[in-house]
Amino acid sequence: MADVNTPSGSTTAGSIEVGTAGAGAQLAGPGTGRATVKQPIDARVSVKPSFDVNDFPVPHGREEDWRFTPLHRLGGLHDGTAAEAVRGEDKVDLGLPEGVSASLVGRDDERIGKAGKPVDRVAAQAFSSFEQALVVTVPKETVLTEPVRIDVHAEGGVRFAHVVIDVKPFAEAVVVINHTGTGTRAANVELLVGDGAKLTFVSVQDWDRDAVHASQHTALVGRDASFKSVVVTFGGDLVRIHPRVSYAAPGGEAELFGLYFADAGQHLEHRLVIDHDTPHCRSNVAYKGALQGQDAHAVWVGDVLIRAAAEGTDTYELNRNLVLTDGARVDSIPNLEIETGEIAGAGHASATGRFDDEQLFYLQARGIPADEARRLVVRGFFAELVQQIGVAEIQDRLMEKIEAELEETVA
Amino acid sequence: MATLEIRDLHVSVEAENGPREILRGVDLTVKQGETHAIMGPNGSGKSTLAYSLAGHPKYTVTGGEVLLDGEDVLAMSVDERARAGVFLAMQYPVEVPGVSVSNFLRTAATAVRGEAPKLRLWVKEVKEAMAGLQMDPAFAERNVNEGFSGGEKKRHEILQLELLKPKIAILDETDSGLDVDALRVVSEGINRVRESGEVGTLLVTHYTRILRYIKPDHVHVFAAGRIVESGGAELADKLENEGYESYVKGGASE
């Protein structure tokens, strides 16, 4: 755990625990230095996944999955009050390449709920309260040459949304959801990646400063399918994104990239769960964030579970944070639980560092002015990750956004 | 002709029990083309002099003045000093993750020269300078000082010296931690810059070893925060034989 609000940095890297092959959840007990047998990751979440909001008690902030979130800034998404408040409007603009279909359907549509259930009360509230779901389908073996674009501009009020991206077997698609405007929003995004299909899903949170947004992204990765998730969060007052991946069959691959930039007062939270319950699947997580300003707060929690059945799993997760000014706070928590020794690889790393006075002095001593020095460091920090996204148009846009954020840098 | 004048310089640092004076009246004039060796025991304040001239925020100037061609250096920010022509090769250069050496060098050269160097010429210039310091071209793609060995860090400092062409080069213990081969390569780099005749060099060192490769015009012995003796290159020979004992006796050295 990297909990930084002091000038020093903090680093954890690479340590993993490997249980005896076939021994189930034997990560604790006699001789392991642990008093009690640890529960699987999802058991730490207080309630079983459910579509029904009433199955979840109202969180109070002590719960493991809510302890970093300032509940009073959630706009009542967690306690039922938002569901009774005035609903807002979205302006949605769809860009659908040829062959892609989109439709609005009711909750009884059979395509809804296939990727997985809501795992917390806010996601369940979204599921219980949305009116119509947007279902985007990329037909079997259709290889798109341009992205599917979903531009959501929220115009205030409370919104509950549900989106299903259904990429049929052997299809290839890039889907970009772009969020702008403001409001209080809870959403579920289901990502169905068919056998042999490839999906790059990009979710950009470019909200106005006062927006509230909680969203669960639930991906189900098919046999030999590739899923890439790119989560980019710049705007909003409180944004909490929860990407989850599970595998429907062996051979699946998931890459989860994230990039966030928290300014003064913003709470940007990203929680990831990768559930390896199927053999011979891969996952790779890399999230990077920069923070500047008083009470800028970033939370990153990366949970990876390798179940006993998931032999041959290969997984790595990384989180890096760059603290640019005093007064910012990072909570970074990688978790890796392994119930089989028969894996290809598993690791994690988390590091939170400061752009410190010595770095600034060094760059300035070479003639580089302070603001340019800061830009140089942040640009380099993010560029490494942005280059891995693999969609040129999005990469360019992100670097532009980063430049724009840097223009606002407090000196 | 560029001239750095240091007059009665007093510098303090913040210590646990209030400010502590480290420099106690330093007087020194360095002219373009000259090489001055500042030698002294640990804790005598010679690194403080180097960092104070570059403007490190840890040091507070409490008296005196520093002029570069008559301009008040102490009134300039760190980056202004560098652009005015003051260069400090650091003893412990810091890592700058995420910033490649090539990007860093070009940004620095653009800042110091006032315009971006023409790309084709620049690539050639960097390549030649790196070859001269026996640096692998792959070095340019690494992040600044990240995972560099001690020798690589010093070569990288001298590479910057060659590319930024300052008026006054302050080399803070550039020889420390180098083996004989690396010391020779680094010294040759420094000599290439000196031979241009356009730089005044202030060589801060604890040992006389580097002076076998870089012949100083003037040697100054630093003790207890000021220059206590000045002479020609022969003074270094005396230090080689006798050490610093006669200077620290009864002095305020730590």
Side-chain angles (χ1 to χ4, degrees), chain A residues 3 31 74 94 108 111 113 126 138 159 216 221 272 308 324 354 382:
Chain A
D3 180 359
L74 256 180
L94 296 181
D108 50 351
R111 287 168 291 186
V138 183
R159 289 291 297 175
Q216 179 176 324
V221 180
L272 297 89
L324 296 170
R354 265 180 76 95
F382 281 125

Side-chain angles (χ1 to χ4, degrees), chain B residues 179-212:
Chain B
D179 62 33
V180 172
D181 288 339
L183 180 62
R184 183 181 48 77
V185 170
V186 163
S187 300
E188 283 169 4
I190 296 168
N191 284 333
R192 277 193 294 277
V193 177
R194 288 169 65 227
E195 279 156 18
S196 72
E198 287 167 5
V199 65
T201 306
L202 202 53
L203 193 66
V204 176
T205 182
H206 182 82
Y207 302 104
T208 53
R209 191 175 63 141
I210 193 171
L211 303 182
R212 287 176 214 149

Side-chain angles (χ1 to χ4, degrees), chain A residues 358-359 362 364 366-367 380, chain B residues 56 79 83 88 98 157 160:
Chain A
E358 292 300 328
Q359 287 174 342
Y362 187 71
Q364 279 190 283
R366 299 306 177 243
Chain B
H56 194 286
D79 49 303
R83 293 197 296 275
L88 169 65
E157 292 296 290
Q160 296 166 53

Side-chain angles (χ1 to χ4, degrees), chain A residues 126-380:
Chain A
F127 194 89
S128 300
S129 301
F130 79 86
E131 284 151 17
Q132 283 190 303
L134 172 67
V135 178
V136 174
T137 307
V138 183
K140 192 176 170 183
E141 295 174 17
T142 303
V143 177
L144 302 181
T145 53
E146 57 176 310
V148 175
R149 189 173 44 76
I150 305 170
D151 289 341
V152 176
H153 185 80
E155 300 188 309
V158 175
R159 289 291 297 175
F160 296 103
H162 196 94
V163 177
V164 178
I165 310 290
D166 190 0
V167 181
K168 299 295 189 189
F170 301 102
E172 293 182 18
V174 174
V175 177
V176 182
I177 296 192
N178 192 34
H179 299 94
T180 56
T182 190
T184 299
R185 182 183 205 83
N188 286 283
V189 180
E190 294 187 60
L191 302 150
L192 298 163
V193 192
D195 291 349
K198 289 194 166 95
L199 169 62
T200 296
F201 170 66
V202 182
S203 180
V204 181
Q205 287 66 245
D206 193 7
W207 296 112
D208 291 350
R209 178 60 183 80
D210 58 347
V212 175
H213 182 202
S215 185
Q216 179 176 324
H217 300 167
T218 313
L220 184 62
V221 180
R223 180 180 294 273
D224 301 326
S226 296
F227 171 59
K228 189 186 281 189
S229 157
V230 180
V231 172
V232 180
T233 306
F234 290 113
D237 179 63
L238 189 162
V239 176
R240 181 180 145 115
I241 308 290
H242 187 157
R244 300 174 63 86
V245 174
S246 59
Y247 299 85
E253 167 178 85
E255 287 184 290
L256 288 83
F257 296 133
L259 202 151
Y260 46 89
F261 204 129
D263 294 320
Q266 281 187 303
H267 177 94
L268 306 182
E269 179 166 347
H270 298 87
R271 315 179 70 90
L272 297 89
V273 175
I274 298 175
D275 188 351
H276 281 283
D277 57 355
T278 307
H280 303 291
C281 291
R282 291 192 298 279
S283 63
N284 180 38
V285 175
Y287 267 63
K288 283 188 163 190
L291 298 93
Q292 61 184 4
Q294 191 60 40
D295 297 323
H297 189 189
V299 177
W300 181 86
V301 181
D303 289 339
V304 174
L305 170 61
I306 304 174
R307 296 183 192 265
E311 294 185 356
T313 293
D314 194 357
T315 178
Y316 193 80
E317 55 172 351
L318 170 144
N319 177 228
R320 294 258 182 282
N321 294 285
L322 182 60
V323 178
L324 296 170
T325 67
D326 286 336
R329 179 188 168 96
V330 175
D331 292 284
S332 175
I333 307 171
N335 292 310
L336 184 51
E337 294 195 16
I338 306 179
E339 297 174 355
T340 172
E342 303 296 315
I343 56 168
H348 64 73
S350 164
T352 297
R354 265 180 76 95
F355 178 60
D356 64 20
D357 293 344
E358 292 300 328
Q359 287 174 342
L360 183 62
F361 173 72
Y362 187 71
L363 295 170
Q364 279 190 283
R366 299 306 177 243
I368 302 167
D371 54 345
E372 174 66 17
R374 207 179 293 272
R375 273 200 283 277
L376 192 67
V377 167
V378 176
R379 213 184 281 139

